[in-house]
């Protein structure tokens, strides 16, 4: 599916207040074989802070990663609001929580996923509010990883989230769309036109939430079906569009 490029950001600024919601992996940083192998560009944190100032603070990273993990990769401090763990952990720019407190990963899920990952030679990542099986380096195990995760989620009343070469277990009461709605109900986001930029399947709920509130989504890369209305080809083009 080929979508039109988004209007220039300056043109959108001229139409009224904006709120930007930005995925991290595959959107602000290039994907890597493992989560710890990403290499954010120098000065990314400062550039995001400047962008947030232009928006009056209405800028947030909305990611499957934990917020503390993102902060670690960009230099120790996240200078904008954020929603980590697929919307389970929502915080304002000062680090104060917004919405309900996130739930912790049950030990039984962690133990089962860790054992499965070791047996099947998959990457395993524990997050504060979920866990993931990565098969980028072992793609033949994709079907087995998803089948195992789906059954484990059903057994414990959790849900799965599918991404690029990854399947995650999360609590299920939050997603990237709910994170957008939480932000949009609070200052300085309230009343702005929301725009979500992302590359993965989990970003679709963010696209849809923004569309429901008078905004739109921007898909990074290619996908056959999407709720986004606009498209940018890659991470570099996202940085250019945002003026980072």
């Amino acid at each position: 599916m080929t979508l039109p490029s988004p209007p220039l950001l300056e043109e959108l600024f001229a139409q009224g207040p904006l709120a930007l919601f930005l995925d991290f992996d595959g959107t602000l940083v290039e994907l890597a074989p493992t989560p710890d192998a990403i290499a954010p560009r120098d000065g990314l944190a400062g550039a995001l802070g400047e962008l947030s100032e232009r928006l009056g603070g209405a800028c947030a990273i909305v990611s499957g990663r934990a917020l503390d993990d993102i902060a670690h990769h960009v230099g120790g401090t996240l200078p904008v609001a954020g929603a980590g763990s697929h919307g389970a952990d929502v915080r304002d720019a000062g680090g104060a929580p917004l919405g309900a407190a996130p739930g912790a990963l049950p030990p039984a899920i962690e133990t089962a996923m860790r054992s499965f990952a070791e047996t099947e030679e998959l990457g395993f990542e524990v997050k504060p509010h979920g866990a993931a099986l990565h098969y980028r380096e072992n793609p033949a195990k994709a079907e087995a990883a998803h089948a195992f995760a789906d059954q484990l989620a059903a057994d414990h009343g959790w849900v799965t989230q599918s991404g690029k070469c990854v399947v995650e277990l999360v609590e299920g009461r939050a997603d990237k769309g709910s994170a957008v709605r939480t932000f949009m109900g609070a200052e300085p986001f309230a009343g702005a036109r929301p725009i979500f930029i992302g590359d993965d399947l989990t970003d679709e709920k963010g696209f849809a939430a923004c569309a429901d509130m008078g905004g739109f989504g921007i898909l990074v890369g290619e996908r056959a079906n999407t709720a986004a209305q606009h498209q940018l080809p890659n991470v570099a083009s996202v940085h250019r569009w945002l003026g980072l």
Side-chain angles (χ1 to χ4, degrees):
M1 176 183 292
T2 300
L3 299 169
S5 298
L8 294 176
L9 190 56
E10 292 301 329
E11 294 177 2
L12 294 170
F13 271 129
Q15 297 172 13
L18 300 177
L20 290 181
F21 302 100
L22 312 173
D23 177 41
F24 191 68
D25 293 82
T27 298
L28 291 175
V29 300
E30 299 288 354
L31 295 172
T34 64
D36 287 337
I38 59 168
R41 54 162 260 204
D42 291 342
L44 178 59
L48 289 170
E50 292 174 3
L51 175 63
S52 183
E53 288 182 5
R54 293 175 62 200
L55 292 158
C59 180
I61 291 177
V62 183
S63 173
R65 284 184 185 262
L67 293 178
D68 291 346
D69 184 54
I70 295 173
H72 165 74
H73 282 287
V74 299
T77 301
L78 189 61
V80 299
S85 302
H86 298 287
D89 181 15
V90 183
R91 308 181 200 172
D92 66 18
L98 297 174
L105 177 68
I109 292 181
E110 179 179 349
T111 299
M113 291 182 74
R114 189 183 297 277
S115 176
F116 182 82
E118 291 175 355
T119 301
E120 300 295 326
E121 298 182 331
L122 300 170
F124 175 62
E125 180 187 8
V126 176
K127 302 184 179 186
H129 316 295
L133 296 171
H134 295 269
Y135 50 86
R136 186 176 300 277
E137 295 185 303
N138 198 352
K141 296 291 187 177
E143 184 175 351
H146 281 271
F148 172 81
D150 286 343
Q151 185 59 59
L152 186 63
D155 291 344
H156 290 271
W158 277 41
V159 299
T160 56
Q161 296 263 20
S162 298
K164 293 179 178 177
C165 298
V166 62
V167 59
E168 303 185 38
L169 264 72
V170 294
E171 191 174 10
R173 60 179 175 79
D175 54 43
K176 291 187 177 183
S178 69
V180 167
R181 292 185 174 89
T182 296
F183 281 123
M184 292 298 293
E187 295 295 337
F189 296 87
R193 185 183 187 190
I195 298 170
F196 196 110
I197 309 178
D199 72 306
D200 215 339
L201 287 171
T202 57
D203 299 315
E204 290 293 331
K205 291 183 179 180
F207 298 157
C210 287
D212 288 344
M213 291 181 282
F216 56 84
I218 302 174
L219 174 67
V220 182
E222 299 283 344
R223 186 157 56 249
N225 297 298
T226 180
Q229 294 175 297
H230 297 281
Q231 190 170 23
L232 290 168
N234 50 39
V235 170
S237 66
V238 172
H239 284 214
R240 287 194 296 270
W241 189 79
L242 292 171
L244 298 180

